[in-house]
Amino acid sequence: MGIISPAERLTVPTDFCEPVEAGLLTVDLSALVSNWRKLASLSGGAECGAVVKADGYGLGQAAVMRALAGAGCKTFFVANLLEGETARALAPEATIYVLDGVVPGCAPRLAAAGLRPCIGSFAELEEWAAAGATLGRKLEAALHFDTGMNRLGFAPRMAADVVARARGIAPTLVMSHFVSSQLPADPINARQIADFLPVRAHFPGVLASMANSSGVFLPEKPYFDVVRPGYALYGGNPTPGARNPMRAVAHISARIISVRDLSPGDTVGYDGVWKAPRPSRVATIGAGYADGLPVSATAAPEKPAGEAIVGGARCPFVGRVSMDYVVLDVTDAPKGAAERGQWVELLGESIDVEALAARARTIGYEVLTRLGRRYARRYAG
């Protein structure tokens, strides 16, 4: 199936079966690959890996990994053992790092799948070395140093001790994680880089990695040997406050299943939180918070509501976002666009993930990773 235009996405092309579901998620794999190639081109010759945790940020780990591997991506990062085992089945020759590290008891399965845990404690180090001794070989791993996140990782001052105690494993990567790379003027970025440089010096010949999506755009250019973008691959903006340099990957459409006219004063939805200020026309679409639309996109005083594109017009959510439904005020939509069976855009070219997240007072990462499984899914490109 080729790339389909935004207009085609909204009308659902007739060259494939009309989905019986009331929601449609189209994943533009060519845009995903384009984003990966763009990030690779900006990374100063460093290898560009890909973070594919949380089911490929909600878009489908299998499709995402196949597309990226086909484009040349050779290194993937996942969160946990189960994601790693899935990744190994999808990409038998890839290098796969597990960000959780060595969770107690997981070492045998990590080793069996050829996964490389990101080790950040001496307890993990000992468990991984012991697993290698049982197998009669040194097992590969990343060594994670905490330069400010205070979440996972060795303290930088421990670098010499880590070198001494890591002789039972085979380090292939030394890494850290930015706290505020999306804020290029934040001085913590430069401080973290300064703290990481002496750590890296303790591991000559071992690859180093620090830059996430936003890290690729920092003025300090902290590319080192491997960059590991995630959010930007999937169309998220790695440069908040500036134009998004990435292409949209996720496109969500929903079908109108009911339309009705309201008189002034009529309310909509649970608790009657919205009251029609004029004669109004409203449309109910078959998607709600069970499909990943944030309940916080509900209209509230002094807060913008979520929106949908109906026939080219922006139509706000009215009433509460409920489990299965959202109601739209389509009073000002073009005639004929807001009718039963028509498709409306919730996420895509006109409403990007940042805009939807802002109107729900959340972040785009949450929007993507909570996309529901009830959507019909189309993979384009």
Side-chain angles (χ1 to χ4, degrees):
M1 175 181 169
I3 299 300
I4 56 179
S5 71
E8 288 172 321
R9 289 188 189 100
L10 295 186
T11 57
V12 187
T14 56
D15 61 348
F16 57 76
C17 294
E18 185 96 350
V20 297
E21 295 86 350
L24 173 65
L25 170 60
T26 301
V27 180
D28 188 340
L29 295 174
S30 68
L32 172 80
V33 168
S34 175
N35 289 341
W36 178 76
R37 287 176 172 153
K38 182 180 185 72
L39 292 161
S41 73
L42 295 172
S43 298
E47 179 187 355
C48 188
V51 181
V52 294
K53 61 184 179 177
D55 193 30
Y57 278 59
L59 302 186
Q61 184 180 358
V64 163
M65 285 192 63
R66 289 186 182 117
L68 292 174
C73 184
K74 294 179 171 58
T75 301
F76 296 93
F77 294 82
V78 297
N80 56 41
L81 168 65
L82 294 180
E83 291 180 348
E85 289 175 333
T86 299
R88 174 56 68 217
L90 292 165
E93 304 302 319
T95 298
I96 300 169
Y97 288 100
V98 178
L99 297 170
D100 278 2
V102 182
V103 173
C106 287
R109 285 176 61 176
L110 288 165
L115 304 174
R116 300 181 186 182
C118 300
I119 292 174
S121 71
F122 289 118
E124 294 173 79
L125 195 57
E126 292 169 5
E127 189 167 346
W128 195 235
T134 299
L135 295 170
R137 58 188 171 88
K138 291 184 178 181
L139 297 176
E140 295 171 319
L143 295 171
H144 186 178
F145 285 84
D146 176 23
T147 55
M149 184 69 79
N150 287 315
R151 192 172 62 177
L152 298 171
F154 297 103
R157 67 178 182 278
M158 296 177 176
D161 199 13
V162 173
V163 171
R165 296 174 65 174
R167 293 194 176 98
I169 71 166
T172 57
L173 186 71
V174 59
M175 61 181 285
S176 191
H177 192 73
F178 279 113
V179 173
S180 298
S181 57
Q182 75 279 9
L183 303 173
D186 193 325
I188 195 173
N189 296 314
R191 183 187 65 72
Q192 286 190 269
I193 294 168
D195 287 347
F196 185 64
L197 289 173
V199 170
R200 184 194 188 198
H202 277 86
F203 298 91
V206 178
L207 300 178
S209 176
M210 198 170 185
N212 55 0
S213 291
S214 295
V216 171
F217 294 84
L218 284 175
E220 293 89 351
K221 303 183 188 309
Y223 309 136
F224 297 107
D225 302 298
V226 180
V227 298
R228 47 182 205 274
Y231 185 51
L233 292 175
Y234 308 100
N237 188 356
T239 57
R243 185 187 65 83
N244 189 350
M246 316 314 297
R247 288 176 56 186
V249 175
H251 304 263
I252 299 176
S253 303
R255 183 177 287 181
I256 296 174
I257 58 177
S258 174
V259 180
R260 67 187 57 211
D261 295 308
L262 302 181
S263 299
D266 286 347
T267 63
V268 169
Y270 290 113
D271 302 323
V273 296
W274 184 82
K275 183 181 294 186
R278 58 175 177 168
S280 302
R281 189 166 177 80
V282 297
T284 301
I285 58 174
Y289 62 74
D291 305 287
L293 296 179
V295 69
S296 51
T298 295
E302 300 181 1
K303 173 194 164 297
E307 292 180 319
I309 304 298
V310 183
R314 290 182 175 269
C315 297
F317 295 4
V318 294
R320 293 196 186 282
V321 174
S322 59
M323 183 182 293
D324 308 302
Y325 310 110
V326 169
V327 181
L328 310 174
D329 181 354
V330 296
T331 309
D332 298 323
K335 186 176 181 180
E339 299 295 340
R340 179 176 177 270
Q342 294 295 313
W343 292 84
V344 305
E345 178 188 319
L346 294 166
L347 181 68
E349 304 294 342
S350 300
I351 300 176
D352 67 13
V353 66
E354 311 295 335
L356 176 55
R359 287 180 171 270
R361 291 185 174 174
T362 184
I363 57 175
Y365 297 77
E366 183 178 28
V367 169
L368 288 175
T369 57
R370 289 195 173 188
L371 293 177
R373 303 302 304 179
R374 298 195 296 188
Y375 293 117
R377 291 196 172 208
R378 308 292 191 203
Y379 289 92

